[in-house]
Amino acid sequence: MREIFRIKNVDSPVLHRQRKWVLTLVNFFHARWGERSFLATLAILIGVMAALAEVALHWAVEKLGHWVDALPEMVGNAGIPVFIGVMIFALCPLIGMILSYLVQRLLGGARYAKSLSPLILSLHRKRSSLPLTETFSHILSSALAVGFGGSAGLEAPSVLTGAAIGANTGSFFFVAKKRRALLLGCGASAAIAAIFDSPIAGVLFAAEVLLPEFSVSALVPMIMSSAVASVISQRLMPDMEFFLAKIDPWQFSAVPSYVLCGICCALAGVYIIKTAYYLSGKLKSRLRNPWMRLMTAGGILCLILWMLPVLRGQGYWFIEQLFAGNMTELRTKSTFLAILPEGDWIILGLLLIVILLKVVAAVLTVDGGGDGGIFAPSMFTGAFTGYAFAHLVNMTGVVTLHANNFAAIGMCGVFTAVMRAPLTGIFLIAEMTHSYTLLVPLMIVSSVSYFFAHLLEPNSVYRKALAESKLLVNDRDETMLQRLQVRFNMNRRYRVLHAGDRLTQLIREVESNPGNAAYPVLDGEGRLLGVIYLEKVLKAMLNKDEFDFLLIYDIMENPPEILNPDDDLAKAMAAFDLYHAEILPVCDKHGFFKGFIEKAMIFSKYRRMVKETDNF
């Protein structure tokens, strides 16, 4: 039986309770139809489960949102003063954050992951196991946080839920760990496909953001999973539309405007990344007590949302109003905005304020204690950025732009700048708007935004913290080598020399057994004193008479670099390149010699890793 199945060393208590018929069924299926067919079947199953999870999540958020919106009227009908109902409504985001935080602590503990960054790091380190509780915990916590009015998206919790479904499905059916990452990607792509009814974007998101090292053939199971999830979600929720987008044909004369809009989107995306990173760090460093952080962030969030209700929830309904050109709806439920006069500059100022504060509200919601993601806030900010750009250009009178078109391409541009997933951004907006009319403008804005955003900020919102903590690098070769430690790749077969040994003894040994490329010279306690390389011994063999009276001490050398067993192979490879060496010694922190690390061995290991990565 191939290594796709594994019974020992299971990584979840649930696997211990599986019955023998599961393994029998899996073995029969694999023997009859093969490994690829088995994984494809699991991909379809994962797609169905992920779609059901996303339907449940959006149904819960929708019901909670309607209940919260009707709360002031319900309180008034109960004979309670209206201002009390309004106060309760204003405090609902804080209430939702508290309930969400309690769910997180109950189901996930102190290390509850709300971002995709830990998932990306786990996949980077070839760890594809997720707790079983994550198949439903994110649904509950994010539904409470966003349903009560928190300003965040449901996409990150949905992706984490789908990834957990994929990983635990692989565990349940005894799939080997190196294949579970593919099933995890199937769950993540199915989640995006179910949310937006965009199967292509779901696959591209998993490939660009989570699993950039997978080969093209690995996309097939993710395509199947995404397609199934899209069909299931549309069947169960046929009216689930985030917004109805009115798209006009694009004009060639607007191409320079698309380029400028792409630059603006890059600036907005970099602003989101840096603001989210900065505010998150400040919240966690200044308010270390989680309850103090929750109450402070929740209180500020309630104030912001009371003044700007447009920032409540995911914001897709307000994006629809942008497409319709209905700017009056942006002032709904806000006494503060209702008193502002009409005018183009007032509208432009309001758009700018919303663009700047959406990410602030999202960080307060998520890092304050709630659950959610930056996915929807990025698209919300992008829509307002594109619309504001078109509105400003139209005010100048130089050229007339279709503001609704720029709202669509703005979503693509800011999403690309924040996530660094240009293909996902292009096809996501095309599928969400049910139109490929803007495909060329989307490509222009996405590429321009990606280029300028990368110049200003090299990392995406999910990778910035990991990169600055030196946990993740963008170079594929270095990334693969960082997964392996020197201690597991050392050559421990060596002949120990001492400084007082005669060189002639070593020459005779090399003549009989020339297998070692280097010899360690150790003291009486095993500490490294120096290294003798085979090339120098071979030179001595050409003139034995001259070296008859020399000791090992006389020809030993100080190695150019000494590695530690805890170093990774990326550091070892950098040392080889720096000193043009082929072999280096490895010692612990006390100087005790442990073995040699060879450059040829690292190349051999790397080739095997590349082959395993590209094989499905």
Side-chain angles (χ1 to χ4, degrees):
M1 181 61 63
R2 297 179 64 180
E3 64 172 342
I4 183 174
F5 308 117
R6 185 173 299 176
I7 303 178
K8 297 181 180 180
N9 299 326
V10 292
D11 51 9
S12 172
V14 177
L15 299 183
H16 291 289
R17 299 193 294 270
Q18 291 182 23
R19 292 173 292 181
K20 292 183 179 180
W21 65 266
V22 175
L23 182 59
T24 302
L25 178 64
V26 170
N27 289 336
F28 173 78
F29 195 111
H30 181 263
R32 183 98 177 223
W33 290 287
E35 176 183 357
R36 291 179 181 269
S37 299
F38 177 68
L39 292 177
T41 303
L42 291 184
I44 295 174
L45 177 62
I46 291 169
V48 173
M49 292 189 293
L52 295 176
E54 303 323 307
V55 169
L57 173 58
H58 283 275
W59 178 85
V61 171
E62 182 180 358
K63 294 300 181 183
L64 283 173
H66 289 326
W67 181 80
V68 170
D69 289 339
L71 189 59
E73 183 180 352
M74 294 169 54
V75 172
N77 293 335
I80 303 175
V82 178
F83 77 92
I84 295 181
V86 174
M87 289 181 59
I88 296 176
F89 174 81
L91 292 175
C92 276
L94 175 58
I95 297 173
M97 290 173 60
I98 294 173
L99 295 176
S100 175
Y101 179 72
L102 293 175
V103 170
Q104 296 167 34
R105 295 303 300 266
L106 177 64
L107 298 178
R111 296 187 176 182
Y112 186 87
K114 293 179 283 189
S115 170
L116 296 185
S117 297
L119 178 61
I120 292 173
L121 180 61
S122 296
L123 292 172
H124 166 74
R125 294 178 173 177
K126 293 297 183 181
R127 299 171 185 170
S128 54
S129 298
L130 295 175
L132 182 64
T133 55
E134 290 198 13
T135 57
F136 57 88
S137 60
H138 292 287
I139 295 177
L140 296 176
S141 61
S142 61
L144 291 169
V146 179
F148 273 81
S151 184
L154 298 176
E155 292 77 16
S158 299
V159 170
L160 291 171
T161 300
I165 290 174
N168 284 279
T169 299
S171 298
F172 183 83
F173 287 103
F174 300 101
V175 176
K177 289 185 177 181
K178 71 176 183 179
R179 299 291 191 237
R180 290 183 204 171
L182 175 60
L183 298 182
L184 187 151
C186 290
S189 60
I192 296 296
I195 294 171
F196 297 107
D197 188 24
S198 53
I200 297 178
V203 174
L204 292 175
F205 179 82
E208 288 186 303
V209 177
L210 299 179
L211 303 170
E213 296 178 5
F214 268 74
S215 62
V216 175
S217 61
L219 298 178
V220 176
M222 289 192 286
I223 291 174
M224 299 174 66
S225 184
S226 295
V228 169
S230 182
V231 171
I232 296 295
S233 64
Q234 283 300 303
R235 180 64 178 173
L236 296 179
M237 299 185 69
D239 299 328
M240 187 179 69
E241 293 280 354
F242 280 97
F243 48 80
L244 299 175
K246 178 180 178 295
I247 301 299
D248 296 315
W250 67 280
Q251 299 173 337
F252 181 80
S253 60
V255 170
S257 299
Y258 293 136
V259 175
L260 293 177
C261 184
I263 297 175
C264 293
C265 290
L267 296 175
V270 172
Y271 168 76
I272 289 176
I273 296 174
K274 292 186 176 296
T275 302
Y277 185 77
Y278 176 79
L279 289 181
S280 176
K282 288 298 182 182
L283 276 175
K284 294 175 182 177
S285 62
R286 298 289 180 85
L287 301 171
R288 297 186 178 276
N289 185 286
W291 284 104
M292 181 66 69
R293 182 166 61 246
L294 176 63
M295 300 305 294
T296 303
I300 298 174
L301 176 67
C302 289
L303 179 61
I304 293 176
L305 297 183
W306 176 77
M307 298 179 65
L308 295 169
V310 65
L311 300 178
R312 292 178 69 92
Q314 300 182 82
Y316 290 117
W317 184 83
F318 292 103
I319 296 177
E320 183 177 342
Q321 305 311 307
L322 285 184
F323 279 103
N326 189 4
M327 296 299 298
T328 59
E329 292 294 337
L330 300 181
R331 306 175 183 227
T332 57
K333 301 178 184 178
S334 174
T335 306
F336 170 73
L337 297 180
I339 64 176
L340 295 178
E342 299 289 342
D344 289 338
W345 287 106
I346 296 296
I347 293 176
L348 186 62
L350 175 60
L351 293 172
L352 181 60
I353 291 173
V354 170
I355 291 170
L356 295 177
L357 290 184
K358 182 60 179 179
V359 63
V360 176
V363 173
L364 291 174
T365 301
V366 178
D367 291 292
D371 196 1
I374 202 69
F375 197 110
S378 299
M379 298 184 67
F380 178 92
T381 303
F384 276 74
T385 300
Y387 191 94
F389 175 84
H391 184 78
L392 178 62
V393 172
N394 290 338
M395 287 173 58
T396 64
V398 176
V399 65
T400 301
L401 303 177
H402 296 295
N404 53 330
N405 285 7
F406 277 81
I409 67 173
M411 286 193 293
C412 173
V414 174
F415 175 87
T416 298
V418 174
M419 304 292 174
R420 305 299 160 86
L423 291 177
T424 304
I426 293 170
F427 284 95
L428 180 62
I429 303 307
E431 291 181 303
M432 288 179 66
T433 57
H434 304 288
S435 174
Y436 284 86
T437 304
L438 295 178
L439 186 59
V440 173
L442 288 173
M443 295 170 67
I444 295 173
V445 171
S446 179
S447 57
V448 171
S449 177
Y450 183 91
F451 175 76
F452 280 95
H454 186 74
L455 288 179
L456 299 173
E457 171 54 58
N459 300 292
S460 70
V461 67
Y462 295 129
R463 292 175 173 259
K464 181 174 176 61
L466 299 176
E468 294 194 358
S469 301
K470 305 299 182 182
L471 297 174
L472 194 66
V473 293
N474 292 324
D475 184 82
R476 185 196 185 200
D477 297 339
E478 188 174 355
T479 297
M480 297 180 71
L481 293 175
Q482 280 183 340
R483 298 172 187 156
L484 302 175
Q485 288 183 318
V486 168
R487 69 169 63 252
F488 301 115
N489 298 275
M490 293 187 303
N491 180 8
R492 294 180 172 86
R493 296 166 55 184
Y494 49 84
R495 162 74 159 84
V496 176
L497 301 177
H498 299 285
D501 294 341
R502 298 181 64 86
L503 180 59
T504 53
Q505 297 176 349
L506 178 59
I507 292 176
R508 286 194 295 269
E509 182 173 334
V510 171
E511 289 176 339
S512 60
N513 184 19
N516 293 330
Y519 298 87
V521 182
L522 309 181
D523 62 11
E525 297 181 351
R527 292 185 176 87
L528 183 69
L529 298 178
V531 176
I532 293 182
Y533 294 99
L534 180 62
E535 293 86 351
K536 199 157 189 177
V537 179
L538 294 177
K539 291 181 181 179
M541 293 172 62
L542 298 176
N543 192 357
K544 296 182 181 179
D545 296 336
E546 187 174 330
F547 291 92
D548 279 343
F549 302 101
L550 293 181
L551 302 178
I552 294 296
Y553 175 82
D554 297 320
I555 66 168
M556 71 178 186
E557 303 177 25
N558 291 322
E561 179 78 10
I562 299 177
L563 297 173
N564 188 278
D566 294 325
D567 292 336
D568 54 52
L569 294 189
K571 182 177 179 179
M573 202 66 196
F576 284 128
D577 293 339
L578 178 63
Y579 298 107
H580 304 287
E582 297 295 328
I583 185 170
L584 290 172
V586 181
C587 299
D588 62 15
K589 61 181 180 181
H590 301 293
F592 291 101
F593 181 74
K594 297 298 180 181
F596 284 109
I597 186 77
E598 301 177 18
K599 186 176 182 179
M601 181 278 304
I602 296 180
F603 276 127
S604 177
K605 176 76 71 172
Y606 174 76
R607 285 194 294 269
R608 289 197 300 270
M609 293 174 66
V610 171
K611 185 177 180 180
E612 291 177 359
T613 300
D614 293 338
N615 185 21
F616 208 72

